[in-house]
Amino acid sequence: MSGHDHDHEHSELSETELRVRALETVLTEKGYVDPAALDLLIETYEKKVGPRNGARVVARAWTDPEYRKRLLADATPAIAELNYAGRQGEHIIALENTPKTHNMVVCTLCSCYPWPVLGLPPVWYKSAPYRSRAVSDPRGVLRDFGVELSPDTDIRIWDSTAEIRYFVLPMRPAGTDGWSEERLADLVTRDSMIGSGLPKHPNELG
Amino acid sequence: MPLDPRAAMHAAIAVPGVPRDADGPVFREPWEAQAFAMALALHQKGLFTWQEWAAALAREIKRAQAAGDPDTGETYYKHWLATLENLVAEKNVASRETLHRYRDAWDHAADRTPHGSPIELRSEDFG
């Protein structure tokens, strides 16, 4: 590698990630594992992987108007305030959902998917047809996910790039007045932070 | 048994030390969930019993501790991954050389993939 190569120009996998990918590829080729079945199982751990910083960020923004302002002005330092240190050069933009605008994020699942903030990516992120349909027919895709938006709500689609990651700041559910940040964070799902879903209803908390 | 959360819970109880909460296993990073799911799949293929897995994992942890592993719990899935590699080799599913070749190929794939694109393995990545 020449001295002019910089790490941010190509992708990076840690030594551990390389070994995991190697195993999965070999075991798949030999018929011992089915990657789709692995993905389905792993998807059930959506809320059991990583620090889930994003849910805390959203809950803080719901309860602290000053924090919300800072987050929407520049999300990277606002997220860092909650002790989440992103990868170098990573820039995160928070997209605010309002009654008029619903934001949804699509992603190519490159090596820098911000899982510490968003949690595990959804399986459909791997599907190119689904991603392109999210762009061409977002209302239809949302309907598939059980999200029916008012016809007056505009839907905006954001495609993550090499330098910019997005996450959605969903609207705070009604009926949560006076809730603690911690309790509110339990309402914040991965899907609500990429805009393919809405936060849980207060009644859904067990 | 399907590859599902019930099977995962069963494994998390059968194998000592699996970090978990009331619902089942919990993970610090995505790769840990992948390593866990692969062991589950191999168990279902009958490659090993959980008893056999637990013994192999215990041997790996002991070996790592003798080599200076801090034993803080943070390295649990590192040992899990090493155990997968050990058993896959011992059971003649894939040799260490093969695993290493694929590891290098993925490294090559990452290197030639521009930042921001998904990393995919191609035949050209095998040098």
Side-chain angles (χ1 to χ4, degrees), chain A residues 8-11 15-16 18-19 21-26 29-32 38 41-42 45 48-50 108 110-112 115 162, chain B residues 4 8 21 23 26-31 34 37 40 45 78 85 93-94 102-103 106-107 110-111 113-118:
Chain A
H8 58 258
E9 286 169 355
H10 61 85
S11 302
E15 182 57 34
T16 303
L18 289 172
R19 284 164 59 198
R21 285 194 186 220
L23 254 177
E24 185 173 341
T25 312
V26 170
E29 285 178 3
K30 293 188 178 279
Y32 278 90
L38 290 187
L41 174 69
I42 292 168
Y45 294 104
K48 305 291 184 184
V49 178
T108 60
C110 69
S111 59
C112 37
W115 61 265
Chain B
D4 64 12
D21 63 14
D23 306 323
V26 297
F27 308 97
R28 289 180 317 126
E29 298 192 22
W31 71 264
Q34 276 168 289
L40 209 60
K45 284 272 179 192
K78 295 240 177 216
E85 292 167 337
V93 174
Y102 277 73
R103 177 239 167 262
W106 273 110
D107 198 20
D111 251 5
T113 302
H115 186 77
S117 300

CSV table of all heavy atoms in Angstrom, one decimal, chain A residues 8-11 15-16 18-19 21-26 29-32 38 41-42 45 48-50 108 110-112 115 162, chain B residues 4 8 21 23 26-31 34 37 40 45 78 85 93-94 102-103 106-107 110-111 113-118:
chain,number,residue,atom,x,y,z
A,8,HIS,N,-9.8,6.3,4.9
A,8,HIS,CA,-11.2,6.6,4.6
A,8,HIS,C,-11.6,6.4,3.2
A,8,HIS,O,-12.7,6.6,2.8
A,8,HIS,CB,-11.5,8.1,5.1
A,8,HIS,CG,-10.6,9.1,4.4
A,8,HIS,ND1,-9.6,9.7,5.1
A,8,HIS,CD2,-10.7,9.7,3.2
A,8,HIS,CE1,-9.0,10.6,4.2
A,8,HIS,NE2,-9.7,10.6,3.1
A,9,GLU,N,-10.6,6.1,2.3
A,9,GLU,CA,-10.9,5.9,0.9
A,9,GLU,C,-11.4,4.5,0.6
A,9,GLU,O,-12.0,4.3,-0.4
A,9,GLU,CB,-9.7,6.2,0.1
A,9,GLU,CG,-9.4,7.8,0.0
A,9,GLU,CD,-8.1,8.1,-0.6
A,9,GLU,OE1,-7.3,7.2,-0.9
A,9,GLU,OE2,-7.8,9.3,-0.7
A,10,HIS,N,-11.0,3.5,1.4
A,10,HIS,CA,-11.5,2.2,1.2
A,10,HIS,C,-12.2,1.7,2.5
A,10,HIS,O,-12.1,2.3,3.5
A,10,HIS,CB,-10.4,1.3,0.7
A,10,HIS,CG,-9.3,1.1,1.6
A,10,HIS,ND1,-9.3,0.2,2.6
A,10,HIS,CD2,-8.1,1.8,1.8
A,10,HIS,CE1,-8.2,0.3,3.3
A,10,HIS,NE2,-7.4,1.3,2.8
A,11,SER,N,-12.7,0.5,2.4
A,11,SER,CA,-13.5,0.0,3.5
A,11,SER,C,-12.5,-0.7,4.5
A,11,SER,O,-11.4,-1.1,4.1
A,11,SER,CB,-14.5,-1.0,3.0
A,11,SER,OG,-15.4,-0.4,2.1
A,15,GLU,N,-10.1,-7.3,12.4
A,15,GLU,CA,-9.6,-8.7,12.3
A,15,GLU,C,-10.7,-9.7,12.7
A,15,GLU,O,-10.9,-10.7,12.1
A,15,GLU,CB,-8.4,-8.9,13.3
A,15,GLU,CG,-7.8,-10.2,13.3
A,15,GLU,CD,-7.3,-10.7,11.9
A,15,GLU,OE1,-6.9,-9.8,11.1
A,15,GLU,OE2,-7.4,-11.9,11.6
A,16,THR,N,-11.5,-9.3,13.7
A,16,THR,CA,-12.6,-10.2,14.2
A,16,THR,C,-13.6,-10.3,13.1
A,16,THR,O,-14.1,-11.4,12.8
A,16,THR,CB,-13.2,-9.7,15.5
A,16,THR,OG1,-12.1,-9.6,16.4
A,16,THR,CG2,-14.2,-10.6,16.0
A,18,LEU,N,-13.3,-9.9,10.0
A,18,LEU,CA,-12.8,-10.7,8.8
A,18,LEU,C,-12.9,-12.2,9.1
A,18,LEU,O,-13.4,-13.0,8.3
A,18,LEU,CB,-11.3,-10.4,8.6
A,18,LEU,CG,-10.9,-9.1,8.0
A,18,LEU,CD1,-9.4,-8.8,8.0
A,18,LEU,CD2,-11.5,-8.9,6.6
A,19,ARG,N,-12.6,-12.6,10.3
A,19,ARG,CA,-12.7,-14.1,10.7
A,19,ARG,C,-14.2,-14.5,10.7
A,19,ARG,O,-14.5,-15.6,10.2
A,19,ARG,CB,-12.1,-14.3,12.1
A,19,ARG,CG,-10.5,-14.3,12.0
A,19,ARG,CD,-9.9,-14.2,13.4
A,19,ARG,NE,-10.3,-15.2,14.3
A,19,ARG,CZ,-10.2,-15.2,15.6
A,19,ARG,NH1,-9.7,-14.1,16.2
A,19,ARG,NH2,-10.6,-16.2,16.3
A,21,ARG,N,-16.6,-13.2,8.9
A,21,ARG,CA,-17.1,-13.3,7.5
A,21,ARG,C,-16.5,-14.5,6.8
A,21,ARG,O,-17.2,-15.2,6.0
A,21,ARG,CB,-16.7,-12.1,6.8
A,21,ARG,CG,-17.6,-10.9,7.1
A,21,ARG,CD,-17.4,-9.8,6.1
A,21,ARG,NE,-18.1,-8.6,6.5
A,21,ARG,CZ,-18.8,-7.8,5.7
A,21,ARG,NH1,-18.8,-8.1,4.4
A,21,ARG,NH2,-19.4,-6.7,6.1
A,22,ALA,N,-15.2,-14.8,7.1
A,22,ALA,CA,-14.6,-16.0,6.5
A,22,ALA,C,-15.4,-17.3,6.9
A,22,ALA,O,-15.7,-18.1,6.1
A,22,ALA,CB,-13.1,-16.1,6.9
A,23,LEU,N,-15.6,-17.4,8.2
A,23,LEU,CA,-16.4,-18.6,8.7
A,23,LEU,C,-17.7,-18.7,8.0
A,23,LEU,O,-18.1,-19.8,7.5
A,23,LEU,CB,-16.6,-18.5,10.2
A,23,LEU,CG,-15.8,-19.4,11.1
A,23,LEU,CD1,-16.1,-19.0,12.5
A,23,LEU,CD2,-16.0,-20.8,10.8
A,24,GLU,N,-18.5,-17.6,8.0
A,24,GLU,CA,-19.8,-17.6,7.4
A,24,GLU,C,-19.8,-18.0,6.0
A,24,GLU,O,-20.6,-18.8,5.5
A,24,GLU,CB,-20.5,-16.3,7.6
A,24,GLU,CG,-22.0,-16.4,7.2
A,24,GLU,CD,-22.8,-15.2,7.5
A,24,GLU,OE1,-22.5,-14.4,8.3
A,24,GLU,OE2,-23.9,-15.0,6.8
A,25,THR,N,-18.8,-17.5,5.2
A,25,THR,CA,-18.7,-17.8,3.8
A,25,THR,C,-18.4,-19.3,3.6
A,25,THR,O,-19.1,-20.0,2.8
A,25,THR,CB,-17.7,-17.0,3.1
A,25,THR,OG1,-17.8,-15.6,3.5
A,25,THR,CG2,-17.8,-17.1,1.6
A,26,VAL,N,-17.4,-19.8,4.3
A,26,VAL,CA,-17.0,-21.2,4.2
A,26,VAL,C,-18.2,-22.1,4.6
A,26,VAL,O,-18.5,-23.1,3.8
A,26,VAL,CB,-15.8,-21.5,5.0
A,26,VAL,CG1,-15.5,-23.0,5.1
A,26,VAL,CG2,-14.6,-20.8,4.5
A,29,GLU,N,-20.9,-22.1,1.9
A,29,GLU,CA,-20.5,-22.8,0.7
A,29,GLU,C,-20.6,-24.3,1.0
A,29,GLU,O,-20.9,-25.1,0.1
A,29,GLU,CB,-19.1,-22.4,0.3
A,29,GLU,CG,-19.1,-21.1,-0.4
A,29,GLU,CD,-17.7,-20.6,-0.8
A,29,GLU,OE1,-16.7,-21.4,-0.6
A,29,GLU,OE2,-17.5,-19.5,-1.3
A,30,LYS,N,-20.3,-24.7,2.2
A,30,LYS,CA,-20.4,-26.2,2.5
A,30,LYS,C,-21.8,-26.6,2.9
A,30,LYS,O,-22.0,-27.8,3.2
A,30,LYS,CB,-19.3,-26.5,3.6
A,30,LYS,CG,-17.9,-26.3,3.0
A,30,LYS,CD,-16.9,-26.9,4.0
A,30,LYS,CE,-15.5,-26.7,3.4
A,30,LYS,NZ,-15.1,-27.8,2.5
A,31,GLY,N,-22.7,-25.7,2.9
A,31,GLY,CA,-24.1,-26.1,3.2
A,31,GLY,C,-24.4,-26.2,4.7
A,31,GLY,O,-25.4,-26.8,5.0
A,32,TYR,N,-23.5,-25.7,5.5
A,32,TYR,CA,-23.8,-25.9,7.0
A,32,TYR,C,-24.7,-24.8,7.5
A,32,TYR,O,-25.3,-25.0,8.5
A,32,TYR,CB,-22.5,-25.9,7.8
A,32,TYR,CG,-21.8,-27.3,7.8
A,32,TYR,CD1,-20.9,-27.6,6.8
A,32,TYR,CD2,-22.2,-28.2,8.8
A,32,TYR,CE1,-20.3,-28.9,6.8
A,32,TYR,CE2,-21.6,-29.5,8.8
A,32,TYR,CZ,-20.7,-29.8,7.8
A,32,TYR,OH,-20.1,-31.0,7.8
A,38,LEU,N,-29.7,-17.2,9.2
A,38,LEU,CA,-28.9,-16.5,10.2
A,38,LEU,C,-29.5,-15.1,10.4
A,38,LEU,O,-29.7,-14.6,11.5
A,38,LEU,CB,-27.5,-16.5,9.8
A,38,LEU,CG,-26.6,-17.8,9.9
A,38,LEU,CD1,-25.2,-17.4,9.6
A,38,LEU,CD2,-26.8,-18.5,11.2
A,41,LEU,N,-32.7,-14.9,12.3
A,41,LEU,CA,-32.5,-15.1,13.8
A,41,LEU,C,-31.9,-13.8,14.4
A,41,LEU,O,-32.4,-13.3,15.4
A,41,LEU,CB,-31.6,-16.3,14.1
A,41,LEU,CG,-31.2,-16.4,15.5
A,41,LEU,CD1,-32.5,-16.8,16.4
A,41,LEU,CD2,-30.1,-17.4,15.7
A,42,ILE,N,-30.9,-13.3,13.7
A,42,ILE,CA,-30.1,-12.1,14.3
A,42,ILE,C,-31.1,-10.9,14.4
A,42,ILE,O,-31.0,-10.1,15.3
A,42,ILE,CB,-28.9,-11.8,13.4
A,42,ILE,CG1,-27.9,-13.0,13.6
A,42,ILE,CG2,-28.3,-10.5,13.8
A,42,ILE,CD1,-26.7,-13.0,12.6
A,45,TYR,N,-32.8,-10.1,17.4
A,45,TYR,CA,-32.0,-9.5,18.5
A,45,TYR,C,-31.8,-8.0,18.3
A,45,TYR,O,-30.9,-7.4,18.9
A,45,TYR,CB,-30.7,-10.2,18.7
A,45,TYR,CG,-30.9,-11.6,19.2
A,45,TYR,CD1,-30.8,-12.7,18.3
A,45,TYR,CD2,-31.4,-11.8,20.5
A,45,TYR,CE1,-31.1,-14.0,18.8
A,45,TYR,CE2,-31.7,-13.1,20.9
A,45,TYR,CZ,-31.6,-14.2,20.1
A,45,TYR,OH,-31.9,-15.4,20.5
A,48,LYS,N,-31.1,-6.2,21.2
A,48,LYS,CA,-30.2,-6.8,22.2
A,48,LYS,C,-28.8,-6.7,21.8
A,48,LYS,O,-27.9,-7.4,22.3
A,48,LYS,CB,-30.6,-8.3,22.3
A,48,LYS,CG,-32.0,-8.6,22.7
A,48,LYS,CD,-32.3,-8.2,24.1
A,48,LYS,CE,-33.7,-8.6,24.4
A,48,LYS,NZ,-34.1,-8.2,25.8
A,49,VAL,N,-28.5,-5.9,20.8
A,49,VAL,CA,-27.1,-5.7,20.3
A,49,VAL,C,-26.7,-4.3,20.5
A,49,VAL,O,-27.4,-3.3,20.1
A,49,VAL,CB,-27.0,-6.0,18.8
A,49,VAL,CG1,-25.6,-5.8,18.4
A,49,VAL,CG2,-27.4,-7.5,18.6
A,50,GLY,N,-25.5,-4.1,21.1
A,50,GLY,CA,-24.9,-2.8,21.2
A,50,GLY,C,-25.6,-1.9,22.2
A,50,GLY,O,-26.5,-2.2,22.9
A,108,THR,N,-26.7,1.4,1.9
A,108,THR,CA,-26.1,0.3,1.2
A,108,THR,C,-25.5,-0.8,2.1
A,108,THR,O,-24.9,-1.8,1.6
A,108,THR,CB,-25.0,0.8,0.2
A,108,THR,OG1,-24.0,1.4,1.0
A,108,THR,CG2,-25.5,1.8,-0.8
A,110,CYS,N,-22.7,-0.4,4.0
A,110,CYS,CA,-21.3,-0.5,3.8
A,110,CYS,C,-20.7,-0.8,5.2
A,110,CYS,O,-21.4,-0.9,6.2
A,110,CYS,CB,-20.7,0.8,3.3
A,110,CYS,SG,-20.9,2.2,4.4
A,111,SER,N,-19.3,-0.8,5.3
A,111,SER,CA,-18.7,-1.2,6.6
A,111,SER,C,-18.9,-0.2,7.7
A,111,SER,O,-18.6,-0.5,8.8
A,111,SER,CB,-17.2,-1.5,6.3
A,111,SER,OG,-16.6,-0.3,5.9
A,112,CYS,N,-19.4,1.0,7.3
A,112,CYS,CA,-19.5,2.0,8.4
A,112,CYS,C,-21.0,2.3,8.8
A,112,CYS,O,-21.3,3.3,9.3
A,112,CYS,CB,-18.8,3.3,7.9
A,112,CYS,SG,-19.0,3.6,6.2
A,115,TRP,N,-24.1,1.2,13.6
A,115,TRP,CA,-24.9,0.3,14.5
A,115,TRP,C,-24.9,0.7,15.9
A,115,TRP,O,-25.9,0.5,16.6
A,115,TRP,CB,-24.5,-1.2,14.3
A,115,TRP,CG,-23.1,-1.4,14.7
A,115,TRP,CD1,-22.1,-1.5,13.8
A,115,TRP,CD2,-22.6,-1.7,16.0
A,115,TRP,NE1,-20.9,-1.7,14.5
A,115,TRP,CE2,-21.2,-1.8,15.9
A,115,TRP,CE3,-23.2,-1.7,17.3
A,115,TRP,CZ2,-20.4,-2.1,17.0
A,115,TRP,CZ3,-22.3,-2.0,18.3
A,115,TRP,CH2,-21.0,-2.1,18.2
A,162,ALA,N,-21.0,7.9,1.8
A,162,ALA,CA,-19.7,7.5,2.5
A,162,ALA,C,-19.5,8.4,3.6
A,162,ALA,O,-19.0,8.0,4.7
A,162,ALA,CB,-18.6,7.5,1.5
B,4,ASP,N,-34.4,-20.4,15.9
B,4,ASP,CA,-35.3,-19.4,16.4
B,4,ASP,C,-34.9,-19.0,17.8
B,4,ASP,O,-34.0,-19.6,18.4
B,4,ASP,CB,-36.7,-19.8,16.3
B,4,ASP,CG,-37.0,-21.0,17.2
B,4,ASP,OD1,-36.2,-21.3,18.1
B,4,ASP,OD2,-38.1,-21.6,17.1
B,8,ALA,N,-32.2,-20.4,20.7
B,8,ALA,CA,-31.2,-19.5,21.2
B,8,ALA,C,-31.2,-19.5,22.7
B,8,ALA,O,-30.2,-19.6,23.4
B,8,ALA,CB,-31.3,-18.1,20.6
B,21,ASP,N,-30.2,-11.7,29.1
B,21,ASP,CA,-31.2,-11.2,30.0
B,21,ASP,C,-32.3,-12.1,30.1
B,21,ASP,O,-32.2,-13.3,29.7
B,21,ASP,CB,-31.6,-9.7,29.6
B,21,ASP,CG,-32.2,-9.7,28.2
B,21,ASP,OD1,-32.6,-10.8,27.7
B,21,ASP,OD2,-32.4,-8.6,27.6
B,23,ASP,N,-34.9,-12.5,28.3
B,23,ASP,CA,-35.4,-13.0,27.1
B,23,ASP,C,-34.5,-13.9,26.3
B,23,ASP,O,-34.9,-14.7,25.5
B,23,ASP,CB,-35.8,-11.8,26.1
B,23,ASP,CG,-36.7,-10.8,26.8
B,23,ASP,OD1,-37.6,-11.2,27.5
B,23,ASP,OD2,-36.5,-9.6,26.5
B,26,VAL,N,-27.7,-11.5,24.9
B,26,VAL,CA,-27.5,-10.1,24.5
B,26,VAL,C,-26.1,-10.0,24.0
B,26,VAL,O,-25.2,-10.8,24.3
B,26,VAL,CB,-27.7,-9.1,25.7
B,26,VAL,CG1,-29.1,-9.2,26.2
B,26,VAL,CG2,-26.7,-9.5,26.8
B,27,PHE,N,-25.9,-9.0,23.1
B,27,PHE,CA,-24.6,-8.9,22.4
B,27,PHE,C,-24.1,-7.5,22.4
B,27,PHE,O,-24.9,-6.5,22.4
B,27,PHE,CB,-24.8,-9.3,20.9
B,27,PHE,CG,-25.4,-10.7,20.8
B,27,PHE,CD1,-26.8,-10.8,20.5
B,27,PHE,CD2,-24.7,-11.8,20.9
B,27,PHE,CE1,-27.4,-12.1,20.4
B,27,PHE,CE2,-25.2,-13.1,20.8
B,27,PHE,CZ,-26.6,-13.2,20.6
B,28,ARG,N,-22.8,-7.3,22.5
B,28,ARG,CA,-22.2,-6.0,22.5
B,28,ARG,C,-22.1,-5.5,21.1
B,28,ARG,O,-22.1,-4.3,20.8
B,28,ARG,CB,-20.9,-6.0,23.2
B,28,ARG,CG,-21.0,-6.1,24.7
B,28,ARG,CD,-19.6,-6.1,25.4
B,28,ARG,NE,-18.7,-6.9,24.6
B,28,ARG,CZ,-17.5,-6.5,24.1
B,28,ARG,NH1,-17.1,-5.3,24.4
B,28,ARG,NH2,-16.8,-7.3,23.4
B,29,GLU,N,-21.8,-6.4,20.1
B,29,GLU,CA,-21.5,-5.9,18.8
B,29,GLU,C,-22.2,-6.9,17.8
B,29,GLU,O,-22.4,-8.1,18.2
B,29,GLU,CB,-20.0,-5.9,18.5
B,29,GLU,CG,-19.3,-4.9,19.3
B,29,GLU,CD,-17.9,-4.6,18.8
B,29,GLU,OE1,-17.6,-4.9,17.6
B,29,GLU,OE2,-17.0,-4.2,19.6
B,30,PRO,N,-22.5,-6.5,16.6
B,30,PRO,CA,-23.2,-7.3,15.6
B,30,PRO,C,-22.5,-8.6,15.4
B,30,PRO,O,-23.1,-9.7,15.2
B,30,PRO,CB,-23.3,-6.5,14.4
B,30,PRO,CG,-23.3,-5.1,14.9
B,30,PRO,CD,-22.4,-5.1,16.1
B,31,TRP,N,-21.2,-8.6,15.3
B,31,TRP,CA,-20.4,-9.9,15.0
B,31,TRP,C,-20.7,-10.9,16.0
B,31,TRP,O,-20.6,-12.1,15.7
B,31,TRP,CB,-18.9,-9.6,14.7
B,31,TRP,CG,-18.1,-9.3,15.9
B,31,TRP,CD1,-17.8,-8.0,16.4
B,31,TRP,CD2,-17.6,-10.2,16.9
B,31,TRP,NE1,-17.1,-8.1,17.6
B,31,TRP,CE2,-16.9,-9.5,17.9
B,31,TRP,CE3,-17.6,-11.6,17.0
B,31,TRP,CZ2,-16.3,-10.0,19.0
B,31,TRP,CZ3,-16.9,-12.2,18.1
B,31,TRP,CH2,-16.3,-11.4,19.0
B,34,GLN,N,-23.6,-12.8,15.2
B,34,GLN,CA,-23.4,-13.7,14.0
B,34,GLN,C,-22.7,-14.9,14.5
B,34,GLN,O,-23.0,-16.0,14.1
B,34,GLN,CB,-22.5,-12.9,13.0
B,34,GLN,CG,-23.3,-12.1,12.0
B,34,GLN,CD,-22.4,-11.2,11.2
B,34,GLN,OE1,-21.8,-10.3,11.8
B,34,GLN,NE2,-22.2,-11.5,10.0
B,37,ALA,N,-25.1,-17.1,16.3
B,37,ALA,CA,-26.1,-17.8,15.4
B,37,ALA,C,-25.4,-18.9,14.6
B,37,ALA,O,-26.0,-19.9,14.3
B,37,ALA,CB,-26.7,-16.7,14.4
B,40,LEU,N,-25.3,-21.9,16.7
B,40,LEU,CA,-26.6,-22.5,16.8
B,40,LEU,C,-26.9,-23.3,15.6
B,40,LEU,O,-27.4,-24.4,15.6
B,40,LEU,CB,-27.6,-21.3,16.9
B,40,LEU,CG,-28.9,-21.6,17.7
B,40,LEU,CD1,-28.6,-22.0,19.1
B,40,LEU,CD2,-29.7,-20.3,17.6
B,45,LYS,N,-27.2,-28.7,12.9
B,45,LYS,CA,-26.8,-29.7,11.9
B,45,LYS,C,-26.2,-30.9,12.6
B,45,LYS,O,-25.7,-31.9,11.9
B,45,LYS,CB,-25.7,-29.0,11.0
B,45,LYS,CG,-26.3,-28.1,10.0
B,45,LYS,CD,-26.7,-28.8,8.7
B,45,LYS,CE,-27.3,-27.8,7.7
B,45,LYS,NZ,-28.0,-28.5,6.6
B,78,LYS,N,-14.9,-13.5,21.8
B,78,LYS,CA,-13.6,-13.8,21.1
B,78,LYS,C,-13.3,-15.3,21.2
B,78,LYS,O,-12.9,-16.0,20.3
B,78,LYS,CB,-12.5,-13.0,21.6
B,78,LYS,CG,-12.6,-11.5,21.4
B,78,LYS,CD,-11.5,-11.0,20.6
B,78,LYS,CE,-11.7,-9.5,20.4
B,78,LYS,NZ,-11.2,-9.0,19.1
B,85,GLU,N,-13.8,-21.9,15.2
B,85,GLU,CA,-12.8,-22.2,14.3
B,85,GLU,C,-12.1,-23.5,14.6
B,85,GLU,O,-11.8,-24.4,13.8
B,85,GLU,CB,-11.7,-21.1,14.3
B,85,GLU,CG,-12.3,-19.8,13.7
B,85,GLU,CD,-11.4,-18.6,13.9
B,85,GLU,OE1,-10.6,-18.6,14.9
B,85,GLU,OE2,-11.5,-17.6,13.2
B,93,VAL,N,-14.6,-29.9,8.8
B,93,VAL,CA,-15.5,-29.1,7.9
B,93,VAL,C,-14.7,-28.1,7.1
B,93,VAL,O,-14.9,-28.0,5.9
B,93,VAL,CB,-16.5,-28.3,8.8
B,93,VAL,CG1,-17.4,-27.4,8.0
B,93,VAL,CG2,-17.4,-29.3,9.6
B,94,ALA,N,-13.8,-27.5,7.7
B,94,ALA,CA,-12.9,-26.6,7.0
B,94,ALA,C,-11.6,-26.4,7.8
B,94,ALA,O,-11.6,-26.2,9.0
B,94,ALA,CB,-13.5,-25.2,6.8
B,102,TYR,N,-9.9,-17.5,3.2
B,102,TYR,CA,-11.1,-16.7,3.1
B,102,TYR,C,-11.0,-15.4,3.9
B,102,TYR,O,-11.5,-14.4,3.5
B,102,TYR,CB,-12.4,-17.5,3.6
B,102,TYR,CG,-12.9,-18.4,2.6
B,102,TYR,CD1,-12.3,-19.6,2.2
B,102,TYR,CD2,-14.1,-18.1,1.9
B,102,TYR,CE1,-12.8,-20.4,1.2
B,102,TYR,CE2,-14.6,-18.9,0.9
B,102,TYR,CZ,-14.0,-20.1,0.6
B,102,TYR,OH,-14.5,-20.9,-0.4
B,103,ARG,N,-10.3,-15.5,5.0
B,103,ARG,CA,-10.1,-14.3,5.8
B,103,ARG,C,-9.3,-13.3,5.0
B,103,ARG,O,-9.6,-12.1,4.9
B,103,ARG,CB,-9.3,-14.6,7.1
B,103,ARG,CG,-8.9,-13.4,8.0
B,103,ARG,CD,-7.4,-13.4,8.2
B,103,ARG,NE,-7.0,-12.1,8.7
B,103,ARG,CZ,-6.5,-11.1,8.0
B,103,ARG,NH1,-6.4,-11.2,6.7
B,103,ARG,NH2,-6.2,-10.0,8.6
B,106,TRP,N,-11.5,-11.8,2.2
B,106,TRP,CA,-12.4,-10.7,2.7
B,106,TRP,C,-11.6,-9.4,3.0
B,106,TRP,O,-12.0,-8.3,2.7
B,106,TRP,CB,-13.1,-11.1,4.0
B,106,TRP,CG,-14.4,-11.9,3.7
B,106,TRP,CD1,-14.6,-13.2,4.0
B,106,TRP,CD2,-15.6,-11.3,3.2
B,106,TRP,NE1,-15.9,-13.5,3.6
B,106,TRP,CE2,-16.5,-12.3,3.1
B,106,TRP,CE3,-15.9,-10.0,2.8
B,106,TRP,CZ2,-17.8,-12.1,2.7
B,106,TRP,CZ3,-17.2,-9.8,2.3
B,106,TRP,CH2,-18.2,-10.9,2.3
B,107,ASP,N,-10.3,-9.6,3.4
B,107,ASP,CA,-9.5,-8.4,3.7
B,107,ASP,C,-9.2,-7.7,2.3
B,107,ASP,O,-9.3,-6.5,2.2
B,107,ASP,CB,-8.2,-8.9,4.3
B,107,ASP,CG,-7.4,-7.7,5.0
B,107,ASP,OD1,-8.1,-6.7,5.3
B,107,ASP,OD2,-6.2,-7.8,5.2
B,110,ALA,N,-12.4,-5.9,1.2
B,110,ALA,CA,-12.5,-4.6,1.9
B,110,ALA,C,-11.6,-3.5,1.4
B,110,ALA,O,-12.0,-2.4,1.1
B,110,ALA,CB,-12.3,-4.8,3.4
B,111,ASP,N,-10.4,-4.0,1.1
B,111,ASP,CA,-9.4,-3.0,0.6
B,111,ASP,C,-9.8,-2.4,-0.8
B,111,ASP,O,-9.5,-1.2,-1.0
B,111,ASP,CB,-8.1,-3.8,0.4
B,111,ASP,CG,-7.0,-3.3,1.4
B,111,ASP,OD1,-7.4,-2.5,2.3
B,111,ASP,OD2,-5.9,-3.8,1.3
B,113,THR,N,-12.8,-2.1,-1.9
B,113,THR,CA,-14.2,-1.6,-1.9
B,113,THR,C,-14.2,-0.1,-1.4
B,113,THR,O,-13.7,0.2,-0.3
B,113,THR,CB,-15.1,-2.4,-1.0
B,113,THR,OG1,-15.1,-3.7,-1.4
B,113,THR,CG2,-16.5,-1.8,-1.0
B,114,PRO,N,-14.6,0.8,-2.3
B,114,PRO,CA,-14.6,2.2,-1.8
B,114,PRO,C,-15.5,2.4,-0.6
B,114,PRO,O,-16.5,1.7,-0.4
B,114,PRO,CB,-15.3,3.0,-3.0
B,114,PRO,CG,-15.4,2.0,-4.1
B,114,PRO,CD,-15.3,0.6,-3.6
B,115,HIS,N,-15.0,3.2,0.3
B,115,HIS,CA,-15.8,3.6,1.5
B,115,HIS,C,-17.2,4.0,1.1
B,115,HIS,O,-17.4,4.8,0.2
B,115,HIS,CB,-15.1,4.8,2.1
B,115,HIS,CG,-15.6,5.2,3.4
B,115,HIS,ND1,-15.4,4.5,4.6
B,115,HIS,CD2,-16.4,6.3,3.8
B,115,HIS,CE1,-15.9,5.1,5.6
B,115,HIS,NE2,-16.6,6.2,5.1
B,116,GLY,N,-18.2,3.4,1.7
B,116,GLY,CA,-19.6,3.8,1.4
B,116,GLY,C,-20.3,2.7,0.6
B,116,GLY,O,-21.5,2.8,0.4
B,117,SER,N,-19.5,1.7,0.0
B,117,SER,CA,-20.2,0.7,-0.7
B,117,SER,C,-20.2,-0.6,0.1
B,117,SER,O,-19.4,-0.8,0.9
B,117,SER,CB,-19.4,0.4,-2.0
B,117,SER,OG,-19.4,1.6,-2.8
B,118,PRO,N,-21.2,-1.5,-0.2
B,118,PRO,CA,-21.2,-2.7,0.5
B,118,PRO,C,-20.0,-3.6,0.1
B,118,PRO,O,-19.6,-3.6,-1.1
B,118,PRO,CB,-22.5,-3.4,0.1
B,118,PRO,CG,-23.0,-2.7,-1.1
B,118,PRO,CD,-22.3,-1.3,-1.1
